[in-house]
Amino acid sequence: MGPKPKKPAGKKKISKAERQRLLQEEEERRQKEEEEARLKFEKEELERLETQRVEKEKWRQLEQKDRERRNEELEELSLLESCFPEAEKLKRETRALAQWKHYTQCDGSPDPLVAQEMNTFISLWEEEKNETFEQVIEKSKLVLSLIKKLKLILLETPPCDLENRIIAQHQGSILRLQELLSLKMDVATELLLREASTLVDVDSGNMEKIIRDENVSLFVWANIKKNPRYRSVKFSETQIGFEIPRVLATSNVALRLLYTRYDHVTPLRLTPATEEDYEPMVVEPVKKEEPIEKATTEEKTVIEEKASIQEVEPEPKQEREFSLVQEEETNLEVLEEIEVKRTSDHEDENSETNKYELEMRLLSEAVSAAQLHLVENIVDIPYAFEKFQVDLCHFSTLGGVYHLDILELPPQYKPVKGWVLVEIRQEGLQRFTYPPETTDEPDPENAFPPIEVTLEVHKDVIFFEDPKVIRWDTEGKRWKTDGISCVYYDRENRLLTFNLDTLGPVALIQDAHINMPYQSWELCPLDVNRVVLTVTTLFIELQIHIKENLCMLASVKLKGQEHQCHLEGRWMTPVPFILALKEAGLNIFPALYSHFYVVVNNKVPLVEVKAYRQIALLSSAFVFRWSKWNMACNSTNVVIKVKEYQAEGAENRPWSLLMFSGDRAQILRIREDSDVFSEALKDNTEFHSTLYHMVKDFASPRAMERVRSSDSLFIDSVCHMLLSIRVLSYS
């Protein structure tokens, strides 16, 4: 047998002393590591504290520097912002000149500002009888022009310049004109229907009449033949029409569709109640200052005239001495008169200067109050809505009003022995009640079914979703949604079909805030005193050009595709421009109550106003753009991207993130693509009291010269558009 394999050697047993030594070494290593960690921590803590101390000291120095130059910066900003009262003064002069031009034209049209002329115009038109529909339409152009002027006066005039009496006067004139225009159209329709039997269609045996105009379209059908099988009424060469029940097909009635581009049904809501707090301001005209040279010349002339009086022939010595004394006294009197005249002229100059300064100060206060009012938010929803009532704060009517009526056919003309006889009813045009208030029918729902209506939606109005149909409740004086069913919208042909329980005025509505909040915005210079403001929403991208006191819609992109709009290329002043965009369905103008319907980061109104004013001041030379961090910061700050504009290579210039609190502007260290928001100041930058002085730190002299030479009306228009769109709160 071979030798046995050796057993593997067992683990060597560690002695107690060896174990003690190892434990001691482990403890020493642990203590060493702890000591190193402690020292490292203390070193880092000291470095952190030192960094904090340096940062605090740096911040303290920056604050001290800011305090030292704060008054100087605010004074310079105040001088630059004097463009706003100057612009308001120019607009006042323009309004006065327009009134004077109207007076000198003598074209027979009334001055909407003069109540007596408006009352005379209305009274004279009320006395005119038997006007045809074509004549009423022609007269309506002047009436609509007067209504538009009155509305613009109420919207454009600063609240401080409008007394409550004047507001009530203008609103009363608007209501009287609207009511009279509606009455005249009813009378003209009655005159037209009296001769319905002479205008019958050969094929159908019924009367059909279409009268179209830019503001009004009339579609009338008179049931002359009363054929129970003729229940589909379609107006020739259109898709507009009615599907009527049997009871109407056999009745002595007429159907009228009166389409008006304007809305005279919705109650007026032009001036807010807060305007009652303002008092009217009267500023005396400023006289021209006389040049100093003129006063000096007058002094010389007076002295020469007084001296020439003393030039006489030589006299005896005694008389000559007396004469010299008298001459001295006379010269003293002359000098006293000159001194008095100088003092008086100086006081007049001071008085004129003080008047001008007072006028500009009052104007500045009025403009600031009006601008602040544009960004105010009401605290409570203004109305308590009933069931089916339309919330006109949430929705807006678009495309005018469709007046749908069933009319009793008036007595027809009867030719008798060469004469035409007609019975004239004192009550005038009468509506036919459908369905009747009382009926003996066992099944009134089947006997008086809803009436199907097909309408054309106006081509100049944009609906981003299918339009909603509403009807006017004459008794409650409000728009409602009940009594309407089976709504279908043919978007391609812009045809709207629906059923109505009873006919009356109907309108189409759209969410007034469908384009809010905005996805982005940008304000970019184009030329001297000209910029483009681009606003991008979920559905559209609008480009608005601004120059002087004018705005223009440059382009509209609907879901990324170019869309032709009838407003493109038309220059208008800001207020009419805003109204025109709203009427076209392009509403990007929040109201006082819009924050109830849109999730936004509402900024403090005073901060927002200050930001818009200073952005407008700088808009000639700098590009401003939306930043995602504006939503991340609190309501007391706004964050925007800014860079100097240059025609060449502008895209390659880096953006600066600028934060502004109304009293302090600073450039942030973070970038647009950073992960977390931070208010940390960018390295090697300071903060200032204004946006103007903040961008001045990195701007070229040429850019600042463009800013200082900007036109006051241009700056005011840019500011007005920013205040109206509110890009800092609604994007």
Side-chain angles (χ1 to χ4, degrees):
M1 293 180 60
K4 293 182 179 179
K6 293 182 179 180
K7 293 182 179 179
K11 190 175 181 181
K12 188 176 180 181
K13 189 174 181 182
I14 301 175
S15 65
K16 186 175 182 181
E18 183 68 15
R19 186 182 297 111
Q20 189 69 26
R21 184 182 65 79
L22 291 174
L23 289 173
Q24 187 175 355
E25 288 177 356
E26 181 68 22
E27 180 65 20
E28 290 175 356
R29 186 169 60 253
R30 185 182 63 80
Q31 290 178 356
K32 183 179 179 181
E33 289 176 353
E34 288 180 354
E35 181 66 16
E36 289 175 353
R38 184 184 66 79
L39 292 173
K40 183 181 179 182
F41 174 76
E42 289 179 354
K43 182 181 178 182
E44 290 176 349
E45 185 66 14
L46 287 172
E47 289 176 353
R48 186 183 66 82
L49 292 173
E50 179 63 17
T51 303
Q52 276 188 355
R53 187 191 67 79
V54 171
E55 288 290 334
K56 285 182 179 179
E57 179 62 22
K58 181 181 176 182
W59 192 263
R60 187 190 66 78
Q61 291 175 359
L62 289 174
E63 287 184 329
Q64 178 64 24
K65 192 173 182 181
D66 181 51
R67 281 193 297 269
E68 290 173 356
R69 65 190 176 195
R70 179 175 178 79
N71 290 336
E72 183 183 344
E73 290 184 348
L74 292 178
E75 285 176 7
E76 187 176 0
L77 178 66
S78 178
L79 288 173
L80 290 168
E81 289 189 336
S82 64
C83 63
F84 293 110
E86 287 173 5
E88 184 56 39
K89 190 170 184 293
L90 289 171
K91 287 190 285 187
R92 283 185 175 184
E93 292 171 356
T94 302
R95 288 194 290 268
L97 182 61
Q99 192 174 4
W100 173 250
K101 281 184 177 179
H102 181 275
Y103 177 77
T104 56
Q105 280 176 351
C106 298
D107 58 358
S109 63
D111 185 346
L113 290 171
V114 182
Q116 185 178 358
E117 292 188 22
M118 290 299 297
N119 292 334
T120 302
F121 172 78
I122 292 172
S123 299
L124 290 175
W125 197 26
E126 285 175 338
E127 293 173 0
E128 293 183 19
K129 305 296 181 183
N130 299 327
E131 292 176 286
T132 64
F133 208 91
E134 289 82 358
Q135 291 173 325
V136 173
I137 285 180
E138 191 61 32
K139 193 65 168 284
S140 72
K141 294 177 182 178
L142 174 58
V143 173
L144 293 175
S145 173
L146 292 172
I147 292 173
K148 183 178 180 180
K149 287 179 181 178
L150 286 168
K151 288 182 177 180
L152 287 178
I153 289 168
L154 292 173
L155 290 171
E156 287 184 322
T157 308
C160 60
D161 289 348
L162 281 176
E163 298 180 26
N164 292 333
R165 174 182 60 83
I166 299 298
I167 294 173
Q169 171 192 311
H170 292 341
Q171 290 184 339
S173 297
I174 291 172
L175 291 173
R176 288 184 65 190
L177 287 171
Q178 290 178 350
E179 291 170 0
L180 183 56
L181 182 57
S182 176
L183 176 63
K184 288 288 183 178
M185 288 188 173
D186 281 352
V187 173
T189 302
E190 182 183 8
L191 290 175
L192 181 62
L193 289 176
R194 283 179 190 167
E195 54 183 8
S197 58
T198 63
L199 300 173
V200 294
D201 179 68
V202 177
D203 296 331
S204 64
N206 295 316
M207 173 265 197
E208 178 188 305
K209 184 72 173 179
I210 300 176
I211 302 175
R212 289 180 181 266
D213 186 69
E214 58 181 343
N215 295 313
V216 180
S217 296
L218 176 70
F219 301 86
V220 178
W221 175 84
N223 191 11
I224 304 296
K225 199 170 184 180
K226 301 178 184 59
N227 185 348
R229 296 181 180 179
Y230 193 88
R231 297 167 61 178
S232 180
V233 179
K234 293 290 181 185
F235 292 95
S236 57
E237 299 181 1
T238 72
Q239 296 296 316
I240 298 172
F242 303 86
E243 292 292 332
I244 58 176
R246 180 184 179 88
V247 64
L248 291 180
T250 57
S251 299
N252 192 38
V253 296
L255 298 177
R256 180 181 73 168
L257 164 56
L258 176 62
Y259 170 62
T260 59
R261 287 286 309 278
Y262 50 83
D263 179 4
H264 288 175
V265 177
T266 306
L268 280 177
R269 188 171 56 188
L270 292 172
T271 52
T274 53
E275 292 176 357
E276 296 177 2
D277 300 335
Y278 295 98
E279 293 295 330
M281 180 180 63
V282 179
V283 181
E284 295 182 9
V286 181
K287 297 178 182 177
K288 250 188 173 177
E289 296 183 6
E290 295 183 358
I292 298 171
E293 291 81 359
K294 184 178 178 183
T296 308
T297 308
E298 285 179 359
E299 291 174 16
K300 290 179 180 178
T301 306
V302 172
I303 292 173
E304 289 171 359
E305 287 176 357
K306 294 286 185 180
S308 65
I309 297 173
Q310 309 304 326
E311 293 178 4
V312 292
E313 293 181 0
E315 300 173 353
K317 185 178 179 183
Q318 191 176 7
E319 290 182 3
R320 191 167 58 249
E321 287 177 1
F322 176 75
S323 177
L324 289 172
V325 172
Q326 196 175 22
E327 186 179 340
E328 257 183 43
E329 290 175 354
T330 305
N331 286 339
L332 284 172
E333 289 176 4
V334 171
L335 290 174
E336 285 176 4
E337 288 180 16
I338 292 170
E339 188 62 31
V340 169
K341 185 174 178 62
R342 275 182 173 176
T343 306
S344 176
D345 289 344
H346 184 65
E347 287 176 355
D348 288 344
E349 289 173 7
N350 287 340
S351 175
E352 297 300 332
T353 304
N354 291 337
K355 281 183 181 179
Y356 179 78
E357 290 176 355
L358 176 62
E359 179 188 21
M360 298 310 289
R361 181 170 61 81
L362 292 174
L363 270 176
S364 179
E365 292 173 359
V367 169
S368 297
Q371 290 176 342
L372 188 61
H373 178 68
L374 286 175
V375 297
E376 284 179 347
N377 298 316
I378 60 173
V379 178
D380 301 316
I381 296 179
Y383 304 107
F385 299 100
E386 300 177 0
K387 189 177 182 182
F388 301 118
Q389 183 180 351
V390 178
D391 179 2
L392 291 179
C393 296
H394 188 187
F395 297 93
S396 59
T397 59
L398 285 180
V401 178
Y402 301 85
H403 300 264
L404 307 173
D405 296 294
I406 307 174
L407 306 171
E408 293 182 5
L409 203 58
Q412 299 296 294
Y413 289 146
K414 294 180 181 178
V416 177
K417 297 180 180 180
W419 293 82
V420 177
L421 301 181
V422 63
E423 178 187 350
I424 299 177
R425 295 177 178 175
Q426 294 296 326
E427 58 271 17
L429 192 66
Q430 295 294 301
R431 266 70 176 175
F432 182 88
T433 304
Y434 179 89
E437 296 176 357
T438 58
T439 178
D440 297 330
E441 292 287 337
D443 190 3
E445 289 188 6
N446 290 332
F448 304 101
I451 300 172
E452 182 181 296
V453 183
T454 301
L455 304 175
E456 287 181 356
V457 178
H458 200 279
K459 61 182 177 60
D460 291 339
V461 180
I462 299 175
F463 284 94
F464 301 99
E465 297 175 344
D466 289 353
K468 297 180 174 63
V469 186
I470 56 175
R471 67 172 186 87
W472 179 249
D473 178 11
T474 307
E475 293 181 0
K477 303 295 180 184
R478 58 176 65 91
W479 289 106
K480 302 185 74 174
T481 57
D482 60 334
I484 303 167
S485 58
C486 304
V487 181
Y488 172 73
Y489 181 52
D490 180 356
R491 182 171 291 273
E492 183 178 351
N493 297 311
R494 299 183 70 86
L495 292 175
L496 188 66
T497 303
F498 54 92
N499 290 347
L500 272 177
D501 291 347
T502 183
L503 297 191
V506 300
L508 310 180
I509 58 172
Q510 181 171 254
D511 186 350
H513 310 94
I514 195 167
N515 286 307
M516 302 176 202
Y518 321 127
Q519 294 182 336
S520 65
W521 63 273
E522 182 181 275
L523 183 67
C524 181
L526 291 176
D527 203 345
V528 179
N529 293 324
R530 183 164 179 170
V531 297
V532 56
L533 175 60
T534 304
V535 180
T536 304
T537 74
L538 180 63
F539 294 99
I540 56 171
E541 178 184 293
L542 297 181
Q543 285 196 346
I544 300 169
H545 286 197
I546 306 171
K547 70 172 183 179
E548 299 171 357
N549 191 34
L550 300 170
C551 304
M552 178 193 73
L553 182 63
S555 70
V556 180
K557 287 185 179 179
L558 187 58
K559 295 182 178 179
Q561 301 294 321
E562 290 289 342
H563 177 82
Q564 291 299 320
C565 180
H566 68 289
L567 296 175
E568 290 183 29
R570 293 170 54 186
W571 289 99
M572 292 177 268
T573 53
V575 173
F577 177 75
I578 291 170
L579 292 176
L581 284 187
K582 286 182 176 180
E583 290 172 359
L586 303 172
N587 187 10
I588 53 170
F589 307 99
L592 296 172
Y593 39 75
S594 294
H595 58 285
F596 290 118
Y597 308 98
V598 185
V599 179
V600 292
N601 182 10
N602 267 315
K603 303 299 179 180
V604 174
L606 190 58
V607 174
E608 202 173 352
V609 170
K610 286 183 177 181
Y612 293 144
R613 285 168 68 102
Q614 295 182 43
I615 289 173
L617 279 171
L618 298 164
S619 61
S620 289
F622 295 88
V623 187
F624 294 90
R625 183 179 286 183
W626 166 88
S627 170
K628 69 178 182 181
W629 300 119
N630 186 52
M631 288 290 286
C633 67
N634 56 36
S635 61
T636 59
N637 292 310
V638 297
V639 177
I640 50 178
K641 291 196 294 184
V642 60
K643 67 179 178 180
E644 183 179 336
Y645 172 76
Q646 291 184 351
E648 296 179 1
E651 292 297 325
N652 299 325
R653 294 180 64 85
W655 291 94
S656 296
L657 271 178
L658 200 151
M659 186 172 76
F660 182 57
S661 65
D663 297 320
R664 175 177 291 178
Q666 66 185 71
I667 297 178
L668 299 178
R669 184 183 298 167
I670 60 171
R671 297 178 303 180
E672 186 68 18
D673 56 357
S674 298
D675 295 328
V676 181
F677 177 71
S678 170
E679 295 185 4
L681 192 67
K682 186 179 180 181
D683 296 336
N684 302 319
T685 63
E686 302 175 353
F687 47 74
H688 291 267
S689 301
T690 71
L691 287 176
Y692 172 82
H693 293 91
M694 187 71 256
V695 300
K696 192 177 178 180
D697 280 356
F698 60 82
S700 66
R702 183 185 175 191
M704 300 315 295
E705 180 58 32
R706 289 184 67 178
V707 169
R708 285 188 289 269
S709 61
S710 295
D711 179 68
S712 59
L713 282 173
F714 161 74
I715 296 172
D716 183 74
S717 297
V718 174
C719 184
H720 188 90
M721 291 306 297
L722 292 173
L723 287 164
S724 301
I725 301 175
R726 299 188 64 183
V727 292
L728 295 177
S729 283
Y730 283 81
S731 62

